[in-house]
Amino acid sequence: CALPILDDDRHLLTALPAVFENGPRAITVDTTSSAEQALRLIECNEYDVIVSDFNMPGLNGIDFLKECKTVRPDIPIILLTGYGTHELEEEALKEGAYALIQKPVDSDVFLSVVTRAIIRRELRQAALTQPLSIEARIFSMENKRLSSRLREIDDRLRSQIEDAEKGPS
């Protein structure tokens, strides 16, 4: 697993990667304080999740989020903010952010959110690459048969309603 962390706070760029040292899985972390450098990293590397500060010089979190979604639409993006409002959170989620974490960052919350984002992405990728199981194919066939039977019943009911509306002949 790998992720970039973008923040202009040097302290966080040191502290956040340390959160993963004793975590449940090995995670490689690239850090940068430049949005432009982060975008180059994202274009050139395969990451499982992206972490970015919201309030960056030159590019705010929403703009960065949109750029990331253009380059890597399938990667979850977690935004960090010290100035979070309900409106900001709504906008970030609307634009496709996986989560918005308030600063100061609680290391347990951070580890949990990043781990969940990685697991969610892994499950999505597995679902896209694995063929349907026998149970799923049977369920799909049964639904098609059920849908066909429901259409027949619906057509019969519509016909009866039309006949009733016409009245006796």
Side-chain angles (χ1 to χ4, degrees):
C1 294
L3 65 98
I5 297 177
L6 166 63
D7 203 303
D8 56 348
D9 180 342
R10 296 276 178 206
H11 173 71
L12 276 178
L13 287 181
T14 303
L16 291 179
V19 169
F20 303 110
E21 289 176 2
N22 297 318
R25 50 177 62 214
I27 297 176
T28 303
V29 179
D30 294 325
T31 61
T32 182
S33 59
S34 157
E36 293 77 19
Q37 176 64 27
L39 289 171
R40 280 193 292 276
L41 287 171
I42 293 163
E43 287 176 359
C44 298
N45 298 291
E46 187 61 36
Y47 290 112
D48 297 288
V49 65
I50 298 167
V51 177
S52 173
D53 185 17
F54 182 84
N55 200 9
M56 293 293 298
L59 196 63
N60 74 29
I62 298 298
D63 293 335
F64 180 75
L65 174 66
K66 289 177 183 178
E67 288 292 323
C68 289
K69 287 295 180 184
T70 301
V71 177
R72 301 282 187 179
D74 61 324
I75 299 177
I77 300 167
I78 298 168
L79 295 175
L80 309 173
T81 183
Y83 310 100
T85 64
H86 182 68
E87 292 78 23
L88 170 66
E89 185 171 2
E90 281 182 1
E91 183 179 5
L93 295 174
K94 181 179 134 208
E95 292 296 335
Y98 178 79
L100 188 74
I101 298 176
Q102 295 292 322
K103 290 181 179 180
V105 177
D106 178 294
S107 60
D108 291 334
V109 170
F110 181 68
L111 179 61
S112 174
V113 171
V114 169
T115 302
R116 283 194 331 260
I118 291 170
I119 291 169
R120 183 175 184 208
R121 182 165 190 260
E122 288 172 348
L123 290 172
R124 268 196 184 152
Q125 287 178 322
L128 293 174
T129 60
Q130 293 179 359
L132 287 177
S133 67
I134 292 173
E135 294 84 7
R137 281 187 250 155
I138 291 171
F139 180 75
S140 176
M141 290 170 36
E142 287 174 350
N143 277 343
K144 286 178 185 171
R145 268 190 249 135
L146 180 60
S147 295
S148 173
R149 180 76 177 123
L150 289 173
R151 275 192 297 275
E152 289 173 19
I153 293 168
D154 185 56
D155 290 344
R156 199 168 3 141
L157 288 172
R158 286 180 194 272
S159 177
Q160 289 175 355
I161 291 169
E162 287 173 9
D163 290 345
E165 288 175 348
K166 289 179 187 175
S169 304

